Amino acid sequence: MLEKSSLTKIKKNVEDSVGKKVILKANKGRKKTTIREGILESAYPSIFVVKISNEYNSIRRVSYTYSDILTETVEVTICGEQKTKIS
């Protein structure tokens, strides 16, 4: 029961942050992590989408599940006056 309430809390935090600038720290395995900045574009029932633009003026969209945040595969930090971590 704890997981379900945690997933719904994570999902609500992500939905409330749609349109805001975020920092993604993704664990790719074997001691590889990537850190990128983007905009939280949309939230769907089982995934959320982040739009990332790089120095070559190309736009890339990446999607993650809410369970990725729960299992700490992905860390999402909302930029603003104070940096807030979604967990």
Side-chain angles (χ1 to χ4, degrees), residues 26-44:
N27 183 4
K28 298 290 187 180
R30 293 230 174 221
K31 300 179 185 177
K32 296 178 187 172
T33 58
T34 59
I35 300 174
R36 298 208 171 120
E37 287 187 12
I39 296 175
L40 191 57
E41 190 173 52
S42 56
Y44 296 104

Side-chain angles (χ1 to χ4, degrees), residues 6 9 13 17 21-22 25 36-37 39 41 43-44 48 51 57 62-63 69-70 75 77 83:
S6 296
K9 186 174 114 179
N13 288 340
S17 303
K21 188 175 181 179
V22 295
K25 183 177 179 183
R36 298 208 171 120
E37 287 187 12
I39 296 175
E41 190 173 52
Y44 296 104
F48 61 96
K51 182 169 72 171
N57 292 331
V62 292
S63 62
I69 296 174
L70 184 66
E75 292 180 14
T77 306
K83 290 189 177 181

Side-chain angles (χ1 to χ4, degrees), residues 1-80:
M1 189 66 184
L2 179 66
E3 281 186 36
K4 185 168 177 116
S5 65
S6 296
L7 276 176
T8 55
K9 186 174 114 179
I10 290 170
K11 183 177 177 183
K12 178 158 178 19
N13 288 340
V14 169
E15 287 174 349
D16 292 342
S17 303
V18 170
K20 295 183 180 176
K21 188 175 181 179
V22 295
I23 298 173
L24 283 175
K25 183 177 179 183
N27 183 4
K28 298 290 187 180
R30 293 230 174 221
K31 300 179 185 177
K32 296 178 187 172
T33 58
T34 59
I35 300 174
R36 298 208 171 120
E37 287 187 12
I39 296 175
L40 191 57
E41 190 173 52
S42 56
Y44 296 104
S46 57
I47 63 169
F48 61 96
V49 180
V50 178
K51 182 169 72 171
I52 298 171
S53 58
N54 60 12
E55 63 272 3
Y56 303 112
N57 292 331
S58 66
I59 296 173
R60 181 175 176 205
R61 287 176 174 81
V62 292
S63 62
Y64 296 101
T65 62
Y66 300 110
S67 60
D68 288 335
I69 296 174
L70 184 66
T71 60
E72 297 180 355
T73 305
V74 174
E75 292 180 14
V76 179
T77 306
I78 302 167
C79 298

